[in-house]
Every structure is written in structure tokens, then in C-alpha cells.
Amino acid sequence: PWLVPVGAAAAAVVVAGLAWRKLRGRSEEEAVLEALKRIDRAHQAPFSKPNELEYCAAVERWAVRLRRLAGEEISTTLRLGARAQHLERGAIPRKSYPDGRDPYLRWRAAVKKRQGQRVEEILSDLASSLGRSSVSRVKGLVAKSLPLRPHTAMSKGGGSDSLQAGDAEMQCIEDAACLVFLEQELKDGFAEGKDDTKMVDIFQKTWRKMSRLAHEQALTLEYSPRMLGCIAMAIAEVEAPPCERSRSLLPVPALSEETRQVLADTWACCISTSYADWGEAWYEELRQSPGYADELGKALSFPVCRAENIAKTVAGLISLLPATEEDQTTALDIGGASAPKSHFAQLLRAAALLAQKQVGLRLRHLDPLRVALVAAACKKGAAGLSGPDAEKRCFRAWEAFSYAVGGQIAPLLMLSDPTEDFAGAVATALPTPGAVPCAALLAAKGLGLVEMSLRILQRKRQGTGLASGGEASSSEVVVELGAWRSSACRAAGADAHAYCGFLAAAVFDTGGEERLARRTRWTRRCTEQPLIVLDLALRGLQAAEVAVDQVKAGARSAIGDLIAGGSLLLESARLALKMADLNLEGASKGDVEDLLQQARDLHERCETLAGAWHRAVGRS
């Protein structure tokens, strides 16, 4: 009998619990699941856009991925906000507003406002479980009424520790939507009917809205050759400094119809299996270049530099080669759309700027990159030609193409590598870098020209099978020239250090005899550097004088560069000697007697070598 009242009491507790749960509402987990179901049903409404549900699922996946990459899990509000993107977008037809940009913007604003109100309606009776503030926040995420936090809002220092304006979850949704556009919508025909200029403009606007984390992910996606080129140009326009954006494009050399046809035929053979296959062949050639593992290999480890993208960039460039200098459209239409010839230069400038910024591309990298391009193209593409001279035609065509590419990249890197920065630094009121660093870099360039002339001579001898025992000594001179060139560059920095030390310790500092001692010490240091530059310049001049007859006989095309190199070295030597004399004039003779003797010896050596050089040039 006692079981009856106990059972009745238990039943009463259960009934009371169910009643309380109904009054209190669902658990948060149940409410989230219910909210997702309701949002999915809304996406299937008659006036919803096609594939609306699939689009939102993709946005949600990217949002989850981006938060995890940031070291966080996705929040309830962000999940619901991502799932409700484009909610019932067709409820307000575009045709209900007039044509034109302003009416379009009003339509977009009306659609976003309605989407926010609609998701609020869907979630209204779940507010007790989700939280009213959460529902309000989801409304803001769907209506896009919360401020963004794109990369342009980052502080100068950047990085995750920087204080940033805007809403992180709103930015995450924007990033996810942009990545869905780049990953899926481009493949669904979005670019059809739009020329390259229009696509570059669209990509610029897209890039500006994205965070740095999203930028990194965008560079891992797969694009067609044409879209990869447009994206590169867009990024360069956004990221490049104003001085680079305003710089005029250089004329593009017009290759012959025969060469362009050889390029088209051999390139088709190169990518007959896949873009990635040729890209790997290019990397294999590049790995054989000296210093690849220490420098280029590390630089090219970025995801955007993967093999297939290298090949797609080449494909885009081939498609953009102009038929004539006056022709404003491409002769070959590999990319599926014609474009102004300037796009060849624009794409190369964009690629060079991005490579310089992202992977540290420098002018010294250009030759191994070019040699690998020609070698990989000839090995895989020569089969696309017929005839006894197929390999020769293939080689000449790709050499021509590689120099057309280099003609656009080299000037940019030359100006935006330290040379341009150095010239700007010389022009400032800071008294260093001054004459001696200028003489040092002049010597470095002269040594480089002499080294280049000898390298061309070596290559021509190897190519014609005329290499001899003298080749070893020539290689040793090339190595020495490279070492002297590096020393000349270091001397430029050492002189800046010495002169700043002289100004600090002997000019602006105070102190009687100590100041005189410091002045002597720093005067020696300031005098040692131009004497070092002078010695390096004279060594290079002597090597140039010895090489004149060899280069004239074996590499006539390089004789002009050799003469220019020797002339620069002679002028560098004379400038360095003059600066050493000026420094010695103000020094106490007893303190710098050894330097005075060294300068006298170098004076005599300079005059002797100058005479020998002029006679050698006269013979050429």
C-alpha cells in the first residue's frame, strides 16, 4: 500500500519538471539545433536563391576553419550568423529598384535589413534559451550592421597582439564569404563576360575587405591561369607602395610570330599532363642552382609558390604576349579572353612586387629563375616541334621569352632593391652615406660587370665546346671578383659606421686630450675605408685589363659591359683616393704615417693601371 503514495509523488515530480522545462524553454544545445533547422528551412523558401543553402554551409565551414586557425572554436552566434547568410535574398527582387549604382546600393541595404529582421523573427521564441543578446548579435551579423576588421584597420605593427578596430566575428563572416567566392563562385562562371580590368577591380575590392589570415588562405586556393594573373595584379595594386603603383609600365618587346607559335606549341606539350607536372620540372631545374637550399628554396616554400601556380603564371604570360608593339590585344588567346598588352607588364610587375614582399625576391635571383624556366621548357616542350633544328628553335624561343620577362622584372627589382633606397638615403641631410659609400657601390657595380663578362665568356666557351685549361683560372678570377664585390658592399657600410663614429666621438663630443685621441682613432678608421675601396677597385681593374683580349675574342657581345665595368672601377678608384687624401690632410702626420705611405703606393699603382687600361681599351 505504501507504494501508491510514493508513485503518485514521483509522477507529480516528473509532471512538475516537464511543466517547468516548458516554461523555462529548451537547453541551449537544443535551441541551437532547432535554430539551425529553422534557418535551413528558410533557405528553401520559394523566393530563395538557387543553392542558397549550399552557399551558407560553405560560409559556415570556412568560418569554423578560420576560427580554428586563430586558435579558437566557433561561437554559437557566429555559427548561426554564418548559416543565415544570404537568407531569403530573393524576397526583394533587384528589379523592384531602378538601374544604376545608387538604386543598387539602396536595394542591397534593404535586403540586408530584411535579412536581419527575418533571422530575428526565426529565433524570437528561442531567445530565452539562446539569450536575447545573442539573438540581437546574430541579427547584426546577418544584416552586416557590425563594423569589419579588415587588414587595413590593423595597426602599423600588425600581428595578433595589435589593438584593432571592428568586430572579429563580423570580419570572420566577411572573410568566409570572400573565400567562398574565390574558391567556388569563380569556378561557377562568375568571370564569364567580364574582362580582366573588371575582374582586377573586383579582386581589389575583395582583398581590401579581408583579414591577413584570410589572405593567407586565399593564396592556397586553386585558380585558372587567367584568374591567378588578375588576382596577382589586384593584390599588387592594393599592397604596393604608392611610388610603385604610380610608376609607368615599360614597353613590352614584340616577339615574332614564329617565336610566339613555337612558344604556344612547346607550351602545350609542357602541360600536356598537368600544370603541376611542369611546375615540378621547373623546381627540379632550380634546385640545381648554387645556394638554392639556403636561400631560394626557403623563399619559395610559401603556398602561393606551389608548382601548379608557377606553371599557370607562365601560361598567363604567354597568352598576354603582344603581336606587335602597336597591337593592344593579345595574339594568342590561351587564357580565354583578350587583354591589353600592358597586362603583360602589369602581371609581371605584380608578380615581382608580391614575390619581393612575400618571399624576398631580389635581382640576384633572376638568373637562376630564368635558366630553370628555359631548361624545363626545353626538356618537356621540344617534343612539340618537328624538324632537325627543333631543339635549337625551342631554346631560342624560350630564351627570347625569358628575356622579355626579365626586361620587365629586372628594372623593378633594380630600383626597389637597395639601390633606390641608397640613392634616397644619399639625398638626405644626414652626412652619410656620402662619397666613400658611393665609391664603394660604384666599385661593386664595376666588379659585377667584369664578373658578368667573364661568366658570359665561360658560358659561350662551354656552349661551343671550346673550354680549355685556362677555364680553371678564369673560374678562380670569377670567384675572386665575387668576393671583392661583397667586400666593396661591406666597405660602404663600414665607412658609414666610421664617419658616424667620427662625428660622434671627435666632432660633437667634448674632452681635451681624450677628444684628440678619439679624433685620431676615428680619422684612421675613416681613412682606412676609402683605401680598402681603392684597393678593391684596382684589383678589379687589373682583372678587367687582363680579360679584354679574351672577351673580345670569345664573347664579343660582352666587351661593352667589360669596358663599362673597368671604367667604373677606375672612377671609383680615383674618387676613393681623393677622399683618402682629404682625410689625411686633416690628420696628424705622425699618427697616420703608415696610411700616408699606403696612399702614396696606391697613387702610383692607380696611375700605372689607368695607363694599362686605356691601352687595352684602345686595342678593343
Side-chain angles (χ1 to χ4, degrees):
W2 60 270
L3 289 175
V4 175
V6 171
V13 169
V14 172
V15 171
L18 291 173
W20 168 249
R21 180 177 178 181
K22 186 174 182 180
L23 289 172
R24 179 182 61 83
R26 297 175 173 85
S27 68
E28 181 178 354
E29 182 179 354
E30 292 173 330
V32 170
L33 292 175
E34 178 61 24
L36 292 172
K37 290 179 182 178
R38 294 181 183 183
I39 291 170
D40 289 349
R41 285 196 295 269
H43 280 310
Q44 299 172 17
F47 43 72
S48 294
K49 292 287 186 178
N51 301 322
E52 191 173 286
L53 184 58
E54 291 81 357
Y55 170 84
C56 294
V59 172
E60 183 183 356
R61 284 195 299 272
W62 267 114
V64 171
R65 182 176 177 180
L66 289 169
R67 297 315 293 162
R68 287 179 178 170
L69 287 171
E72 302 176 15
E73 291 298 322
I74 192 169
S75 68
T76 296
T77 53
L78 180 55
R79 181 180 293 279
L80 294 176
R83 190 74 154 259
Q85 291 300 297
H86 284 192
L87 186 66
E88 299 178 350
R89 195 176 189 183
I92 303 178
R94 172 66 182 91
K95 62 183 180 182
S96 62
Y97 285 74
D99 293 335
R101 179 160 179 79
D102 288 341
Y104 169 77
L105 294 176
R106 292 199 301 273
W107 168 72
R108 286 285 304 271
V111 169
K112 289 189 286 187
K113 181 179 179 180
R114 183 194 178 279
Q115 289 171 334
Q117 294 171 341
R118 183 72 179 99
V119 78
E120 186 180 37
E121 293 174 7
I122 292 173
L123 304 180
S124 59
D125 63 335
L126 299 175
S128 59
S129 299
L130 296 174
R132 297 194 181 280
S133 62
S134 295
V135 172
S136 177
R137 182 164 179 75
V138 173
K139 176 183 177 182
L141 293 173
V142 174
K144 293 183 169 60
S145 59
L146 302 178
L148 290 174
R149 185 192 286 180
H151 76 95
T152 50
M154 294 176 68
S155 67
K156 185 176 180 180
S160 58
D161 296 332
S162 302
L163 294 177
Q164 302 170 2
D167 187 277
E169 292 191 338
M170 187 74 261
Q171 183 60 51
C172 184
I173 286 181
E174 187 66 42
D175 287 342
C178 290
L179 288 166
V180 171
F181 164 66
L182 295 173
E183 182 181 44
Q184 296 184 5
E185 294 185 52
L186 288 181
K187 296 178 181 179
D188 294 337
F190 177 86
E192 292 179 7
K194 300 178 180 69
D195 62 18
D196 287 1
T197 301
K198 179 63 176 177
M199 290 306 303
V200 169
D201 180 64
I202 290 171
F203 289 142
Q204 284 180 19
K205 294 173 181 176
T206 302
W207 196 257
R208 287 191 177 99
K209 293 189 292 184
M210 298 165 69
S211 69
R212 289 299 185 197
L213 178 61
H215 288 166
E216 294 173 6
Q217 297 305 301
L219 294 177
T220 67
L221 301 177
E222 181 180 350
Y223 304 101
S224 70
R226 180 189 169 211
M227 290 300 98
L228 183 64
C230 289
I231 288 172
M233 287 187 278
I235 297 173
E237 287 297 313
V238 175
E239 302 284 358
C243 62
E244 293 294 348
R245 293 199 296 267
S246 61
R247 183 168 289 152
S248 299
L249 296 173
L250 299 173
V252 179
L255 303 182
S256 68
E257 181 179 356
E258 178 185 358
T259 294
R260 287 182 283 111
Q261 192 59 55
V262 170
L263 290 171
D265 293 342
T266 54
W267 183 246
C269 189
C270 285
I271 59 172
S272 58
T273 52
S274 68
Y275 285 112
D277 184 56
W278 184 86
E280 289 295 342
W282 178 79
Y283 267 111
E284 186 61 32
E285 294 293 334
L286 191 61
R287 291 186 188 101
Q288 299 178 28
S289 63
Y292 173 83
D294 297 329
E295 191 169 345
L296 267 178
K298 294 177 181 177
L300 295 172
S301 63
F302 281 66
V304 72
C305 298
R306 62 185 182 274
E308 64 181 287
N309 280 352
I310 300 297
K312 288 177 180 178
T313 300
V314 174
L317 289 171
I318 292 175
S319 73
L320 293 173
L321 278 170
T324 67
E325 299 246 343
E326 294 75 25
D327 186 19
Q328 294 299 304
T329 58
T330 57
L332 299 176
D333 199 16
I334 298 174
S338 62
K341 71 173 183 178
S342 61
H343 277 190
F344 182 88
Q346 285 178 338
L347 176 54
L348 281 170
R349 182 177 72 170
L353 287 170
L354 291 177
Q356 185 183 50
K357 182 175 181 178
Q358 298 290 333
V359 303
L361 179 68
R362 294 293 181 265
L363 189 59
R364 65 179 180 273
H365 298 150
L366 200 54
D367 188 58
L369 295 173
R370 188 195 68 81
V371 170
L373 168 69
V374 175
C378 289
K379 284 185 178 180
K380 297 188 73 68
L385 301 176
S386 58
D389 60 345
E391 291 185 1
K392 182 178 179 180
R393 288 162 53 212
C394 180
F395 175 78
R396 292 181 66 87
W398 281 97
E399 281 279 302
F401 175 76
S402 72
Y403 281 114
V405 171
Q408 297 294 321
I409 296 178
L412 185 147
L413 294 179
M414 192 177 298
L415 290 174
S416 44
D417 263 10
T419 301
E420 187 175 24
D421 295 340
F422 178 82
V426 170
T428 65
L430 185 71
T432 188
V436 176
C438 287
L441 293 187
L442 194 63
K445 292 177 181 179
L447 289 162
L449 283 170
V450 176
E451 182 181 350
M452 179 189 75
S453 303
L454 291 176
R455 287 185 184 276
I456 292 174
L457 176 63
Q458 288 179 337
R459 184 172 292 180
K460 284 187 174 292
R461 285 175 171 175
Q462 292 168 355
T464 56
L466 297 178
S468 63
E471 201 67 29
S473 60
S474 176
S475 298
E476 291 174 0
V477 174
V478 167
V479 172
E480 288 180 332
L481 286 165
W484 298 338
R485 176 166 45 83
S486 298
S487 296
C489 292
R490 289 195 296 271
D495 181 79
H497 167 260
Y499 191 60
C500 286
F502 177 81
L503 292 174
V507 176
F508 293 103
D509 202 0
T510 59
E513 294 185 358
E514 286 187 12
R515 183 166 178 260
L516 291 176
R518 291 196 300 268
R519 185 181 184 90
T520 299
R521 186 164 59 250
W522 284 101
T523 297
R524 285 188 62 87
R525 291 174 179 170
C526 287
T527 307
E528 287 169 351
Q529 297 311 314
L531 292 177
I532 290 173
V533 173
L534 172 58
D535 179 62
L536 292 169
L538 293 180
R539 291 186 189 186
L541 183 61
Q542 185 172 12
E545 186 265 329
V546 171
V548 166
D549 292 336
Q550 300 174 30
V551 172
K552 179 183 176 182
R556 181 72 186 179
S557 62
I559 192 67
D561 296 305
L562 180 64
I563 292 173
S567 300
L568 289 179
L569 288 166
L570 182 56
E571 289 304 314
S572 169
R574 287 172 170 167
L575 176 56
L577 189 55
K578 181 63 176 177
M579 298 313 298
D581 287 343
L582 289 173
N583 288 340
L584 289 170
E585 285 176 5
S588 173
K589 300 299 184 285
D591 296 324
V592 291
E593 185 58 37
D594 59 326
L595 295 181
L596 282 168
Q597 184 58 49
Q598 185 180 351
R600 286 192 289 267
D601 294 343
L602 289 171
H603 261 286
E604 183 177 347
R605 183 177 164 204
C606 183
E607 292 306 315
T608 301
L609 284 173
W613 172 248
H614 289 310
R615 289 191 295 273
V617 171
R619 293 195 306 272
S620 69

